[in-house]
Amino acid sequence: MKKGGKGRTPRDNRGWRLLPVMALLLLFLAALARAYLFPGASAAGLAARVDASLAAGGVGSRVTAVLLNFRAYDTLLECFVLLLGVMVVWSLWRPDGAKSREPAAGAILASLERLLVPLMIMVGSYLLWAGSDRAGGAFQAGAILGGAGVLLLLDSSPLLKVFPKRGLVPGLCLGPLFFLSVGIAAMAWGGNFLEYRSPEASLIIIALEGAAAFSIGLCLAALFGGRPPERQAEDGRDQPSRNQGEFR
Amino acid sequence: MTVSPALIYGLTGLALFVIGLAGLLLCPQLLRKILAVNVMASGVFLFLVTIAHGSGALIDPVPQAMVLTGIVVSVSSTAAALALLCRIRENADRRDPSQQKGGR
Amino acid sequence: MVWQNWLLVAILLSSMVPGLIIFSLAESNRGWRTALNILGATVKMILVLVMIVGIYQGRRFAVHLRLLPDIELVLRADPLSALFVALSSLLWLLTTIYAIAYLEDSPNRSHFFGYFSLCVTVTIGIALAGNLLTFLFFFEMLTLTTYPLVIHRGTPEAMAAGRVYLLYTLSGGLLLFFGVAWLHALAGQIDFSRQGVLLPLLAEHRLSLILIFAVLIAGVGVKGALVPLHGWLPRAMVAPAPVSALLHAVAVVKAGAFGIMRIVLDVYGLPLSRELGLLMPLLLLAAITIIHGSLLALGQDNLKRRLAYSTVSQVSYIALGISIGSPLAIMGGMVHLVHQGIMKITLFFCAGNIAETLEIHDISGMNGVGRRMPLTMGAFTLAAMGMIGLPPMAGFVSKWYLGLGAIDQGMEWLIAVLVLSTLLNAAYFLPIIHRAWFKEPAAPWPGTPGPTGFRECHWMLVAPPILTALLSLLVGLLANSGLSPLAWVRFIVATRYGP
Amino acid sequence: MISPSSSWLIWPIIVPLLGAVLCFLAGKPPRRTGLLFAVLTGGASLVLGWQVLARGIESHALGAWRPPLGISLRADGAAALMVTMTAVTGLAVSIYSGGYFQSRLTGDDRDRRRLAQEQYFWPLWLLLWGALNGLFLSGDVFNIYICLELVALSSVGLTALSGKPPSLVAAMRYLLVSLLGSLSFLLGVGFFYKTCSTLELAAIIGALAPTPPMIMALALVSAGLLLKTALFPFHFWLPPAHANALSPVSAILSGLVIKGTWYLFYRFWQEEILLAAVGALPAILGGGAIIWGAFQAFSQQRLKMLVAYSTVAQIGYLFVAFPLLADPAGMGGPALFYFAISHSFAKGAMFLAAGTFLLQMGHDRIDDLAGVRQILPVSSFAFALGGLSLMGLPPSGGFIAKYLYVTTAITQGRWWLALLVVLGSGLTAAYVFRAVAAILSPRLLEERPQLAVAASMQWSALALALMAMLLGIVATLPLALLGVK
């Protein structure tokens, strides 16, 4: 497997060489299909068990119960994956590298933004609230909020200035930190990590969802933005400095 | 075995996985490779959703939760890949003009 | 008693700790380095004496360290190990004194003496190894600690010699490793103190046992410079004289010969070796090595290379004695471990002195050296006589017992080998002596002789060879007294095979 | 239910995660916070190792939901051993990094970028550490998938940190390969779930059977893991990624990250049914890796490339012994794990030392390193000792591992394996000595440059190398831990 993009062969005489690879891939697909269609292979799944434990889980929605109670540890790590994504993207940012993104053309986007962003925030909040007993939840809400953020970033909207720059990183960390502290608090109360049951469970889950949705939305927007906040502030006077204190 | 929607979805998922794999192996451009990985991921997610619907009347929430989690992972790593791609491009751009000057 | 077991560890530490401290000393810190070296060597001598007395009184020392459920490292002092330990410690002391003077003002001394001490530590470990794994453990470490010494000069030739040295010794190490592991898989851990463990395997694993023996002997034979495997030894001569002394007399070659002894006598045991028909091939190999080494030595003009080939030949006397297999011959072989060491180290000290003071490296340039450096050449002459085997020198005693043993076993043809070898020895040593004493020097010597006329070079360079030369005379003269190496070897053989 | 005072199982995972967030929150390069949390993580891991040794298997049902509904963490001897190994290597790397980033500050214009590198190094490294511990301790395949992604993404971030074009390209390859591996793993998990209705690792392994879905699931999972472990011929991405990264990162990637996926592979493949059927497959690939990696390593001109290719070869050893797991005397597992730990320490030490040379000399061309011993004696010694363990020479953990390999192979009559291992260590000796001969060369340097590196960089590498040596002498302790089943 060669990666890197250089040294490609002209398209027309690649065809013959592709053939064996294609044949192998088709064979692979056939094997996958055979495994999938193998009779009697389908088992019952965990639906029944989830239903049986739903009462203790604190929420009506089964997916939410799985995500934020039965397998909350997965979701905790999930939040870290997003945060990690932001770290990686930011660590790759070089102020001297990118031609700064030109603001996309004004009027239409601006009005769209005025129209959509409040709506998106509302829809996001609704999804968060709805998640406790039907489709919806932190991820969906976070995705919508993230979308709103992306819209704002698209034309460097003045609305962004409402959000304090110094608050960005703490905002990103809010979800994972809150999740961790809930887990540790549960241990402090004598339970296992992340152990919470009805009746407190529903309250905790809503709080968790709120924090997670907020951070997820922010993370998604930050992924799109692609640059750490410190650098944004310094963009105008991009002089290298010796002083370590000035760095931040 | 009757042809059910679940069957079609499942096979489609697997086919997407293989198509993505083909793209990853055969496309020389990095951006296409990244997209190919996303196609693969979609295939896996479709497959998982099919499993959730596959058995009995009850819809199994566990694979659904897995898909949600998987999507977020996929977003995160795609973002990282794109950021990397941008950096690699920048480097290539920075080198190219000087080469052209030298050549002419 | 606890102190007895700690004694062995203390013997190891007495050179290891100074070695490690020396590494951290600054290059210019000569006083501390010298003090540490001498202190370590002296302490080691004392501890070894205590140990020898203890062994003679019938005490047995052992330390065990369990590595894995069925593998342990064992240090154990039996009379045979005491022989090697005593030799190495004594010669280390002398070599250290010699090296301090020899390396004066040359770079990298901390490095040199550090590895030197580690090297001796490892050699003592080989001597004290109580089972095959422990032997392998230290045997491999010997390669690693001697390598920096071989490349000490850092010249392209030294680096090339280092590469050859590694190629040979590491390959040998791998062979030995493979043999040891194979034997372990077959028979479990092989302890030197329990004889005859392999006998029950004879019926079922005859072929395996023979193959393992071949692999093991080939493995140790590289360091022991058995003939097809000896190529590294002459090349390693680029190293400074103390290192050559160390390689030939104290550590490496000796470790190989010692390994052959351990494998034949303690791992397989004479009865099994004889039963499997392993002794005869080894005997032939040793005989060939003796003759071949001598022939090669004849052709060398470079003094150190001639001495190196002489080592190839002489060390095989040890293997010869073992593979003849009668108590008398074994005595001859074992005692030659000590005798050859004392004599050969003298020769290397002298060669070093001549090269250092007069910058003479070739025999053809040695005309009249005896007049300029009478003490050095005197010692050289004495040791060379011993090597040839003139009575009453040390070499004679070894050859005498080898001959007696051969007759004992009805192998009279070996006498012919011994005689031929003696003639060859004479043929390559006597011309050197003749040149040095009786020929006129071609040109005036560089540098003026010292004020007293006898001041050939630094006393620390002259004293060690004189001492060892006298020693090689004394151990021959007094071979029958109770304190000679021969007496100790008689003690070893008596404890093993009855009086 | 386990009371919090008694269960340390969760802490090796949470502590580094918490540390990562706090480091990310810190404005300026969080060296102190990073070091503090590294020490805390290491401490927690060592306590866990001690607990498992003293009390047997630890397990912890997260949220008190038991499998198959919930996820449970589980530390048996093998897992605890890996966590402990990660702690030792991780501590040494962390201490090294403290000195490394300090020493790289030169007071000129490049410092801004270097400070930025350190700013992201600490959170990424702590996240990676937490994810690795999570990987070792997790008892749930989907959770393992997330841990795998965390490990991969943070490794990629760390690889790209140096910002040089080759390392960016290497990071890109690494990321794509990792994603391919993860997706393959996830599809396999899907098949497992479809067949077994559970995500619990132990239950899945217990249910392995030769039916098409199970075979396909196992094949997908194994292929994903092999790809991520860079077993020959999937190794192409590894050398440039490991060699071009910042030096502490190289040590982390080579010493720890590949062990994570290897460990998972072991968990799936230790079953006897599987070994009997296709156990030779990993062994053959491993054999190829040993030979190919050694030849490639020998022909490298740069020290870090040499060490990186040596990793390719050493991964071969991690797989070549899989047939030995069927050993009736049960020495196959100890041999494998012993090799894994010694390699982690030795390779870590070698990369750390190589990084010190690189920083001090400004290059790592092997032939021009002659004489470096005079400036950096401790690092040179550490490199040589690490090489010793790699070659399997005494006294080192590598020697014990090699001895176990060969004796077990001969006992089972697998002669080719025994010979391959011996041959392989000969090849290893060839390339290690190529480097060691240059480093230990007595040639004098023309000019003695000012010492530019912190003492902690030298001594942490030596400490790690000495740990590899120590393994050769106190072998019983790790094996006792491994024996907890």
Side-chain angles (χ1 to χ4, degrees), chain C residues 56-391:
Chain C
Y56 195 68
Q57 291 168 348
R59 291 210 192 92
R60 290 297 177 264
F61 307 91
V63 187
H64 298 253
L65 173 71
R66 188 160 292 281
L67 284 185
L68 294 173
D70 62 336
I71 301 175
E72 50 181 8
L73 289 182
V74 181
L75 290 179
R76 187 185 295 112
D78 60 7
L80 181 56
S81 24
L83 184 74
F84 194 14
V85 170
L87 172 76
S88 296
S89 330
L90 175 67
L91 295 188
W92 180 45
L93 179 59
L94 295 174
T95 315
T96 305
I97 295 171
Y98 182 81
I100 290 169
Y102 189 90
L103 289 174
E104 211 166 337
D105 301 329
S106 72
N108 287 327
R109 277 167 297 170
S110 286
H111 203 234
F112 179 88
F113 283 107
Y115 281 112
F116 207 76
S117 307
L118 289 186
C119 187
V120 171
T121 310
V122 171
T123 310
I124 303 289
I126 291 177
L128 292 176
N131 63 17
L132 206 46
L133 181 79
T134 317
F135 180 82
L136 170 69
F137 206 82
F138 286 110
F139 197 77
E140 296 259 44
M141 278 161 73
L142 186 58
T143 307
L144 303 167
T145 46
T146 42
Y147 170 72
L149 296 175
V150 173
I151 63 165
H152 180 74
R153 290 231 162 101
T155 54
E157 305 90 73
M159 298 307 280
R163 269 198 294 279
V164 174
Y165 178 66
L166 277 181
L167 182 66
Y168 273 88
T169 48
L170 284 178
S171 313
L174 281 180
L175 282 176
L176 186 66
F177 174 87
F178 191 66
V180 172
W182 191 354
L183 203 55
H184 185 113
L186 215 59
Q189 183 167 290
I190 302 292
D191 208 295
F192 292 154
S193 66
R194 285 167 55 229
Q195 315 274 322
V197 192
L198 297 177
L199 271 175
L201 301 172
L202 182 58
E204 213 178 327
H205 297 289
R206 194 182 182 90
L207 182 65
S208 297
L209 284 177
I210 293 175
L211 286 175
I212 293 173
F213 186 83
V215 171
L216 289 177
I217 291 292
V220 292
V222 172
K223 281 210 176 76
L226 281 180
V227 137
L229 311 170
H230 66 283
W232 61 271
L233 190 57
R235 295 202 202 195
M237 286 301 98
V238 294
V243 176
S244 306
L246 183 87
L247 293 181
H248 287 253
V250 187
V252 180
V253 180
K254 282 297 155 60
F258 186 76
I260 296 178
M261 278 192 214
R262 281 294 193 200
I263 290 165
V264 176
L265 298 180
D266 290 339
V267 176
Y268 276 70
L270 282 177
L272 181 65
S273 311
R274 224 175 253 133
E275 173 66 33
L276 290 168
L278 298 170
L279 288 182
M280 189 45 92
L282 187 60
L283 182 67
L284 288 176
L285 195 64
I288 291 171
T289 307
I290 289 171
I291 303 296
H292 188 69
S294 299
L295 285 174
L296 286 173
L298 261 183
Q300 306 298 326
D301 187 37
N302 183 302
L303 179 59
K304 282 179 83 181
R305 283 178 74 90
R306 184 172 286 192
L307 293 181
Y309 280 112
S310 149
T311 302
V312 173
S313 160
Q314 291 278 339
V315 164
S316 280
Y317 281 128
I318 301 169
L320 189 79
I322 303 301
S323 49
I324 291 171
S326 73
L328 281 175
I330 292 176
M331 271 172 68
M334 280 183 182
V335 83
H336 200 57
L337 187 81
V338 177
H339 289 170
Q340 189 268 351
I342 299 172
M343 296 184 294
K344 188 44 68 69
I345 206 166
T346 314
L347 295 174
F348 272 113
F349 284 157
C350 295
N353 280 352
I354 294 167
E356 193 68 354
T357 319
L358 306 176
E359 302 200 342
I360 294 174
H361 302 279
D362 292 337
I363 294 160
S364 51
M366 280 181 70
N367 291 352
V369 168
R371 300 179 198 177
R372 169 68 177 82
M373 307 181 74
L375 290 178
T376 303
M377 269 326 285
F380 187 94
T381 310
L382 215 54
M385 297 291 180
M387 279 290 184
I388 297 169
L390 291 181

Side-chain angles (χ1 to χ4, degrees), chain A residues 11-29:
Chain A
R11 196 160 274 276
D12 35 338
N13 54 12
R14 264 174 56 194
W16 290 107
R17 260 184 268 171
L18 288 184
L19 222 57
V21 182
M22 286 297 187
L24 276 178
L25 285 172
L26 279 177
L27 218 62
F28 177 48
L29 181 57

Side-chain angles (χ1 to χ4, degrees), chain A residues 5 37 46 62 78 81 92, chain B residues 7 28 59-60 69 72 76 87:
Chain A
L37 299 173
L46 290 172
R62 301 182 315 154
E78 196 48 60
V81 174
L92 285 166
Chain B
L7 191 72
I59 296 170
D60 190 346
T69 310
V72 176
S76 220
R87 277 304 305 286

Side-chain angles (χ1 to χ4, degrees), chain A residues 1-3 5 14 18 22 25 28-29 32-33 36-37 43-47 50-51 62-63 66-67 78 81-82 85 88-89 92 94 97-98 139-140 220 223, chain B residues 1 6-7 10-11 14-15 17-18 21-22 25-26 28 33 47 50 55 58-62 64-65 68-69 72-73 75-76 79-80 83-84 87 90 93-94:
Chain A
M1 209 178 331
K2 288 273 182 286
K3 307 225 164 72
R14 264 174 56 194
L18 288 184
M22 286 297 187
L25 285 172
F28 177 48
L29 181 57
L32 281 174
Y36 175 59
L37 299 173
L46 290 172
V50 173
D51 282 354
R62 301 182 315 154
V63 178
V66 170
L67 277 175
E78 196 48 60
V81 174
L82 266 177
V88 173
V89 169
L92 285 166
R94 292 283 178 277
F139 284 124
Q140 292 87 331
L220 291 174
L223 285 177
Chain B
M1 189 176 286
L7 191 72
L11 287 178
L14 293 176
F17 184 81
V18 177
L21 181 60
L25 294 180
L26 301 174
K33 282 184 192 291
F47 181 74
T50 319
S55 52
L58 276 174
I59 296 170
D60 190 346
V62 175
Q64 289 184 322
L68 274 176
T69 310
V72 176
V73 169
V75 166
S76 220
L84 255 176
R87 277 304 305 286
E90 285 163 22
D93 287 349
R94 207 172 304 152

Side-chain angles (χ1 to χ4, degrees), chain B residues 17 21 24 30 33-34 37 40-41 44 47-48 51 60 62-63 66 69 73 77 80-81 84 87-88 91 95, chain D residues 142 145-146 149 153 156 160 163 165 168-169 171-172 175-176 179-180 183-184 186-187 189-191 193-194 199:
Chain B
F17 184 81
L21 181 60
L24 181 62
L30 285 178
K33 282 184 192 291
I34 295 170
V37 168
M40 285 178 78
V44 177
F47 181 74
L48 287 176
I51 292 177
D60 190 346
V62 175
M66 283 159 67
T69 310
V73 169
S77 33
L84 255 176
R87 277 304 305 286
I88 292 173
N91 281 324
R95 244 175 303 152
Chain D
F142 186 71
Y145 162 74
I146 303 177
E149 285 286 7
L153 208 49
V156 168
L168 289 175
V169 174
M172 190 70 183
L175 179 58
L176 288 172
L179 286 175
L180 177 60
L183 286 173
S184 179
L186 186 59
L187 190 60
V189 168
F191 274 106
Y193 186 78
K194 184 171 182 294
L199 293 169

